[in-house]
Amino acid sequence: MEKLVINGGTRLKGEVTISGAKNAAVAILPATLLLNGVYTISNVPNISDVKITCDILQDLGAKINWITPNELTIDTRDIDGKEAPLDKTSKFRASYYLIGSMLGRSGQIEVGLPGGCNLGARPIDQHIKGFELLGAKVDVGQGKISAKAKKLVGTSIYLDVVSVGATINIMLASVLAEGTTTIDNAAKEPHIVDVANFLNTMGADIRGAGTDVIKINGVKELKHEGSYSVVPDQIEAGTFMLAAIATKGDILIKNCISEHLDCITAKILEIGGDVEDFGDSIRVSINKRPTKANIKTLPYPGFPTDMQPQMGVVLSIADGVSVINESIWESRFQYTNELINMGAHITAQGKTAVFEGVKELYGAPVYASDLRAGAALLIAGILAKGTTELYNIDHIDRGYEKIEEKFRSLGANITRVTEE
Ligand code: EPZ
């Protein structure tokens, strides 16, 4: 088992380059199933969720060749598989994109139920609602989902909840449907726009991605294989922004799209930080103790739920009492127990947590419960006095590329240790 050993008390300073977006890449790769062809995808984050996606696509018959650690070719001309086994699909959430892609390609797929971070209930009823409205028959049982459709016909779909996954999955399933599909109450995250952009380069006709109404005019066939570069990861960029604030540091975050970070920037300014926006890079610094703030997580462009644990670390050492309301996930405050072990004063109850800021955190053995909690605890270890041992770091490796190298380049004292 691996752990990260962090000797704290560091103010992070320097430059860091952001990788491609996990939540775009894990949808763009399955999207290549919609047209037989050879694609070159660049700015791909070299993370375990992407590697599992590639494994599953290879099981279906795709040929994948890594040209560099962040660029690959994928050949989808000989796809013969019709099922993706549970032992792989259960390892992460985005395996459900195989359903939308394969329904669009062949009208048939059987996929093990998706896994993903333990954030409470993670229903997929809106995905299924979309597939069924398009004309598919979907059965869920014995740990798998099977979907079949003789023909997919465009229709209007109103999402009962704003869902990133359902929005992307319905786009994937409807690009080759007969007629027009409208997704109302669609999610607007940057990674949704990126997937729509990629599908349009393939010859799809998708309009309105990034707004809450997306129109997909079905086409008889997609026409263009080709190359594409994945959008920079909004959440990784935000993670380093808040790491600068938490450690009273000064970081230039490069290869990002600053407008995707507006909500995080606004909060940083509110609590006393400084932000210099250069468009494709952003510099974040603070030279005093941050002040308190209240946070409510919301779908984009609101404060991202995937930035909530990282903000929790900042508010743990802020001056005053802060409140976080987690409106997206049932159970995303598990990390607060670990912060309490480091000296934080936090009361978490259901979807609300109250943070009474303390002056100092102290190193301790802590356990990552999910991907973003892991990143948050890593930041806490860097600011804390003394040594922190961070366990269950496989969670972090799912979504952050070279996490300790990037933080070490900013001055952090971090070592990855393998324990028998
Ligand atoms: C995506 O998950 C991200 N994962 C999550 O990031 C992120 O937290 C989430 O979007 C919200 O931004 C990937 O993109 C792989 P949702 P997803 O469908 O698509 C409810 C990370 O750290 N809902 O937008 O699974 C759901 O319970 C991960 O990178 C339904 O009720 O999230 C939740 O309350 C963690 N029925 C809300 O909608 C459905 O059919 C938003 O979920 C689908 C969702």
Side-chain angles (χ1 to χ4, degrees):
M1 179 175 73
E2 290 186 313
K3 65 182 179 182
L4 290 177
V5 178
I6 307 144
N7 293 310
T10 306
R11 290 186 170 200
L12 295 171
K13 291 188 191 303
E15 298 184 356
V16 67
T17 299
I18 299 305
S19 300
K22 164 177 89 80
N23 294 343
V26 296
I28 286 170
L29 291 170
T32 60
L33 294 168
L34 288 162
L35 170 68
N36 289 345
V38 181
Y39 303 81
T40 301
I41 312 293
S42 55
N43 204 36
V44 178
N46 204 310
I47 54 178
S48 54
D49 271 11
V50 165
K51 289 173 194 154
I52 298 172
T53 302
C54 291
D55 282 354
I56 295 173
L57 290 168
Q58 284 167 318
D59 289 346
L60 290 171
K63 295 180 187 62
I64 293 177
N65 174 32
W66 286 88
I67 307 166
T68 73
N70 298 111
E71 186 174 37
L72 58 82
T73 59
I74 177 167
D75 180 346
T76 58
R77 289 174 294 184
D78 299 321
I79 299 295
D80 51 12
K82 284 192 175 31
E83 60 178 76
L86 182 63
D87 64 326
K88 288 182 184 167
T89 58
S90 61
K91 286 195 171 64
F92 72 129
R93 180 85 180 141
S95 49
Y96 50 38
Y97 293 139
L98 292 163
I99 308 172
S101 305
M102 287 298 283
L103 271 181
R105 173 191 179 92
S106 62
Q108 184 180 350
I109 182 71
E110 186 171 275
V111 183
L113 282 170
C117 291
N118 171 17
L119 305 172
R122 298 194 72 176
I124 57 168
D125 58 304
Q126 299 300 302
H127 301 240
I128 294 169
K129 169 181 167 179
F131 296 146
E132 289 177 339
L133 285 170
L134 286 165
K137 184 172 180 331
V138 182
D139 294 304
V140 182
Q142 292 91 37
K144 57 190 175 205
I145 307 165
S146 62
K148 282 199 181 77
K150 285 197 179 57
K151 185 164 87 166
L152 294 167
V153 179
T155 184
S156 289
I157 300 165
Y158 187 93
L159 292 180
D160 303 332
V161 283
V162 177
S163 162
V164 169
T167 301
I168 290 176
N169 236 341
I170 294 165
M171 278 199 306
L172 291 168
S174 58
V175 291
L176 291 166
E178 189 180 277
T180 296
T181 298
T182 303
I183 307 173
D184 282 297
N185 200 25
K188 303 183 269 193
E189 274 70 4
H191 27 287
I192 289 171
V193 176
D194 207 40
V195 176
N197 289 344
F198 175 63
L199 289 168
N200 283 340
T201 66
M202 292 171 72
D205 182 359
I206 301 173
R207 302 165 195 209
T211 75
D212 52 11
V213 179
I214 300 177
K215 267 197 192 324
I216 304 104
N217 297 314
V219 293
K220 272 216 175 315
E221 59 176 354
L222 296 171
K223 292 199 166 50
H224 313 295
E225 50 194 310
S227 59
Y228 193 78
S229 180
V230 176
V231 71
D233 194 312
Q234 165 208 24
I235 302 302
E236 186 193 15
T239 300
F240 281 99
M241 291 170 77
L242 291 187
I245 299 298
T247 63
K248 284 205 187 102
D250 183 342
I251 302 178
L252 176 64
I253 294 130
K254 297 161 66 176
N255 186 40
C256 65
I257 298 177
S258 61
E259 71 182 78
H260 293 164
L261 304 162
D262 284 351
C263 187
I264 302 158
T265 297
K267 273 298 161 186
I268 288 173
L269 296 173
E270 183 185 323
I271 61 178
D274 298 307
V275 177
E276 280 179 276
D277 181 346
F278 304 106
D280 63 354
S281 65
I282 194 163
R283 181 174 174 187
V284 177
S285 62
I286 191 167
N287 52 24
K288 59 182 186 298
R289 187 181 181 190
T291 55
K292 67 180 175 65
N294 293 331
I295 301 285
K296 183 178 176 64
T297 62
L298 286 168
Y300 189 84
F303 193 91
T305 174
D306 292 349
M307 288 299 305
Q308 188 259 95
Q310 301 90 312
M311 194 65 185
V313 174
V314 172
L315 299 179
S316 295
I317 47 104
D319 182 8
V321 178
S322 306
V323 178
I324 295 184
N325 182 290
E326 169 57 60
S327 74
I328 308 288
W329 298 112
E330 282 172 355
S331 160
R332 196 163 208 171
F333 286 121
Q334 297 158 72
Y335 71 94
T336 58
N337 296 322
E338 307 302 311
L339 289 180
I340 289 166
N341 292 341
M342 297 178 77
H345 292 174
I346 307 168
T347 311
Q349 189 78 35
K351 291 194 163 190
T352 303
V354 178
F355 296 73
E356 295 168 59
V358 293
K359 282 215 167 65
E360 199 74 78
L361 292 181
Y362 299 89
V366 289
Y367 297 80
S369 51
D370 65 74
L371 163 60
R372 308 301 173 184
L377 293 171
L378 199 164
I379 293 169
I382 293 170
L383 76 90
K385 258 196 180 146
T387 301
T388 293
E389 293 181 314
L390 174 52
Y391 294 90
N392 300 345
I393 57 174
D394 52 316
H395 287 297
I396 306 177
D397 294 335
R398 286 186 44 212
Y400 288 93
E401 181 177 354
K402 297 187 188 142
I403 188 79
E404 70 265 29
E405 284 93 329
K406 289 189 178 184
F407 275 110
R408 256 205 301 269
S409 73
L410 295 168
N413 181 333
I414 300 181
T415 314
R416 184 180 287 249
V417 174
T418 302
E419 269 193 340
E420 293 313 312

